[in-house]
Amino acid sequence: MSCLMVERCGEISFDSPDQNAKCVRMLGDARVRGQTGVLSERRGSYPFIDFRLLNNTTLSGEIGTKKKVKRLLSFQRYFHASRLLRGIVPQASLYLLDEDYLGQARHMLSKVGMWDFDIFLFDRLTNGNSLVTLLCHLFNVHGLIHHFQLDMVTLHRFLVMVQEDYHSQNPYHNAVHAADVTQAMHCYLREPKLANFLTPSDIMLGLLAAAAHDVDHPGVNQPFLIKTKHHLASLYQNVSVLENHHWRSTIGMLRESRLLAHLPKEVTQDIEQQLGSLILATDINRQNEFLIRLKSHLDNQDLRLEDAQDRHFMLQIALKCADICNPCRLWDLSKQWSERVCEEFYRQGDLEQKFELEISPLCNQQKDTIPSIQIGFMTYIVEPLFERWAQFTGDTPLSENMLNHLRRNKAKWRSLLHKQHSSSRSNDHSGQVTGSQEQTLNEEDTP
């Protein structure tokens, strides 16, 4: 089947009318296949979500122009700061990063495979360039630059595009989250059960998918886009809306940067398709689908990692784990991520309330508290996946460490929830938790 789709400013056209439904079904497939390559979105086509824009899809040329100017002005400082990756010490102090910070960042990179890696500190040390710096380092460590004959300047250009297409206004879905997921993915790729079979292509796909899996995230979820009739929901017909957007945006940046232009066409097409399969796997609505399949493989002991399809499936599972690994981090890091994601939920809820829309689940700050949200998330989403991952890896030190953190963090959230309930009963009003908990909480919540 030929499925040629051209996307311009939110409009699409197909070879024939009856291909519409066929192509949309392909978007949700675990592996997307096609004769003419993968479809892409043009960078800058979709502005940051603002309710004023929901009913106005007219694109502003000013937005694209500002981003291009910012990218040009930013590129040299990214390239200069990244010299630490090659062990080159600048002759003069950088105007944005001094040598002390560069030295600390270099030291952190030497321990990038440690699970206690503090991505927040690393982001500060790199002056907000954690994703670019981390990816360049990992591409070098894994020998990908040499293996794929990548041009360093072109690689930087692509990574700058990816980093800048994350929205720093988002408390959670921003470039720091992408860097955190990428660092976790690096740790998982080193697990012996998986590492012994991975090819350079597998590793590059895993790192690229981790880095770009939430690119251009608007800071609201799929139900919000659907009920506000946003153009992305219409474009992808309410099927994995955000994940499809992340994937297509990534393909657009790959093509614009020409990072892989020197590779054979069939190789780049395969990379684009597999990137889509990986990023689409992060759709939380497909959680049970992947868990059931993983459980079946583990119970039947029929995973053959020599087989490219089985390796790809485990890369999907690894990315899913990396995407939701926050509850498995050290408490101080895990708590920061929990507060950030809930802040993003609450912002959406406030927006929905302001415009008299039904408040989405977990987005009501007066009812959905951070402890209850986290306990529910850990119980129903994180624990089942990471227990299966540990079964796959064979209870390695990393898997045991993650599960131990998960159990301890869950116990701490339960303790905070108990304190909240006790406080609300004694004060005759809900809201304030004593001690270090700074977030407004309410006892009438459910996981």
Side-chain angles (χ1 to χ4, degrees):
M1 179 188 85
S2 172
C3 178
L4 181 60
M5 173 183 181
V6 180
E7 189 176 317
R8 290 188 179 91
C9 303
E11 296 182 357
I12 56 176
S13 61
F14 297 91
D15 286 346
S16 61
D18 64 326
Q19 288 182 338
N20 187 1
K22 293 180 181 178
C23 289
V24 170
R25 281 197 298 272
M26 288 176 67
L27 302 183
D29 290 344
R31 292 289 295 274
V32 180
R33 302 178 184 277
Q35 296 294 324
T36 59
V38 176
L39 322 170
S40 69
E41 288 183 8
R42 192 184 70 186
R43 294 191 68 237
S45 293
Y46 305 111
F48 183 74
I49 291 294
D50 185 320
F51 207 91
R52 293 169 297 180
L53 300 173
L54 292 177
N55 296 317
N56 179 14
T57 58
T58 302
L59 301 178
S60 169
E62 182 181 1
I63 294 175
T65 301
K66 285 183 177 179
K67 292 186 75 172
K68 289 179 180 178
V69 171
K70 183 181 178 184
R71 191 185 312 136
L72 289 172
L73 293 175
S74 301
F75 176 73
Q76 189 166 3
R77 79 167 183 263
Y78 286 128
F79 186 79
H80 200 177
S82 70
R83 298 175 75 193
L84 68 94
L85 299 173
R86 305 189 301 278
I88 301 174
V89 179
Q91 296 300 314
S93 296
L94 295 176
Y95 65 97
L96 289 175
L97 295 173
D98 62 29
E99 293 186 16
D100 288 340
Y101 275 60
L102 287 172
Q104 293 178 61
R106 185 185 300 112
H107 177 70
M108 287 195 70
L109 284 175
S110 70
K111 299 185 177 182
V112 71
M114 304 295 290
W115 189 245
D116 61 356
F117 191 86
D118 187 341
I119 198 65
F120 296 112
L121 174 59
F122 186 70
D123 193 63
R124 292 193 295 272
L125 292 174
T126 56
N127 198 41
N129 299 322
S130 55
L131 186 59
V132 173
T133 309
L134 180 65
L135 257 295
C136 284
H137 176 73
L138 293 180
F139 265 59
N140 188 44
V141 165
H142 287 285
L144 302 177
I145 296 172
H146 174 74
H147 181 85
F148 292 99
Q149 295 296 295
L150 301 177
D151 178 75
M152 277 298 297
V153 173
T154 305
L155 177 61
H156 272 271
R157 185 184 302 123
F158 167 72
L159 295 177
V160 168
M161 287 179 181
V162 173
Q163 180 171 275
E164 290 194 349
D165 268 18
Y166 279 94
H167 300 294
S168 59
Q169 303 97 319
N170 292 342
Y172 183 84
H173 289 104
N174 52 42
V176 184
H177 166 65
D180 185 62
V181 172
T182 302
Q183 189 271 335
M185 189 66 165
H186 168 65
C187 292
Y188 300 156
L189 294 177
R190 298 173 68 213
E191 286 284 58
K193 186 70 175 292
L194 192 58
N196 292 334
F197 297 94
L198 293 177
T199 66
S201 294
D202 295 328
I203 296 171
M204 184 171 74
L205 281 166
L207 294 177
L208 286 178
H213 79 284
D214 273 332
V215 73
D216 201 30
H217 195 292
V220 293
N221 60 19
Q222 176 172 292
F224 181 92
L225 298 179
I226 292 174
K227 66 186 175 184
T228 55
K229 296 180 172 58
H230 193 269
H231 51 262
L232 286 178
S234 301
L235 179 62
Y236 296 117
Q237 298 196 2
N238 303 340
V239 178
S240 297
V241 175
L242 288 170
E243 291 74 25
N244 272 298
H245 177 55
H246 304 323
W247 168 34
R248 302 304 170 76
S249 298
T250 303
I251 300 309
M253 287 183 282
L254 275 172
R255 293 177 180 177
E256 180 181 339
S257 68
R258 298 185 59 80
L259 177 65
L260 306 177
H262 62 289
L263 299 178
K265 183 178 179 180
E266 59 273 15
V267 174
T268 59
Q269 286 184 352
D270 187 59
I271 289 173
E272 290 176 349
Q273 291 169 347
Q274 292 195 60
L275 274 176
S277 174
L278 290 170
I279 294 174
L280 287 172
T282 63
D283 185 349
I284 200 68
N285 294 315
R286 301 179 65 192
Q287 188 79 356
N288 285 338
E289 168 195 336
F290 281 94
L291 269 179
I292 291 171
R293 184 177 168 190
L294 178 60
K295 180 179 184 298
S296 175
H297 278 306
L298 294 175
D299 290 347
N300 295 327
Q301 298 183 357
D302 59 1
L303 273 175
R304 299 291 180 265
L305 296 181
E306 301 88 349
D307 187 330
Q309 289 187 339
D310 282 359
R311 283 201 313 276
H312 185 81
F313 173 68
M314 290 314 303
L315 283 177
Q316 290 177 311
I317 297 297
L319 181 58
K320 290 177 69 63
C321 287
D323 191 26
I324 62 171
C325 73
N326 302 151
C328 302
R329 296 283 192 179
L330 291 168
W331 168 250
D332 288 342
L333 300 176
S334 179
K335 182 171 178 287
Q336 286 188 67
W337 286 120
S338 299
E339 292 168 345
R340 284 168 175 260
V341 73
C342 288
E343 173 61 24
E344 196 165 294
F345 290 163
Y346 296 153
R347 287 187 184 184
Q348 176 177 323
D350 291 343
L351 191 61
E352 291 168 330
Q353 185 176 39
K354 178 179 179 180
F355 291 94
E356 299 180 345
L357 299 169
E358 181 182 358
I359 299 180
S360 299
L362 310 181
C363 295
N364 190 334
Q365 190 168 1
Q366 303 307 314
K367 296 178 64 177
D368 303 308
T369 70
I370 297 179
S372 65
I373 290 173
Q374 290 306 305
I375 292 169
F377 180 57
M378 292 176 176
T379 302
Y380 301 110
I381 303 296
V382 182
E383 283 180 346
L385 181 60
F386 277 86
E387 286 171 354
R388 291 297 178 185
W389 175 258
Q391 184 179 347
F392 164 72
T393 61
D395 296 321
T396 61
L398 174 58
S399 290
E400 291 183 358
N401 193 21
M402 290 192 297
L403 288 176
N404 287 336
H405 285 315
L406 177 60
R407 297 183 186 108
R408 285 195 291 266
N409 293 341
K410 186 176 179 180
K412 290 187 178 183
W413 285 122
R414 287 193 182 281
S415 176
L416 285 172
L417 187 63
H418 176 73
K419 290 179 182 178
Q420 170 219 325
H421 286 170
S422 300
S423 176
S424 61
R425 283 194 296 267
S426 63
N427 291 312
D428 192 35
H429 68 274
S430 60
Q432 203 69 27
V433 173
T434 59
S436 62
Q437 182 69 17
E438 299 175 356
Q439 190 73 32
T440 300
L441 301 173
N442 183 292
E443 69 171 337
E444 289 127 6
D445 62 88
T446 56

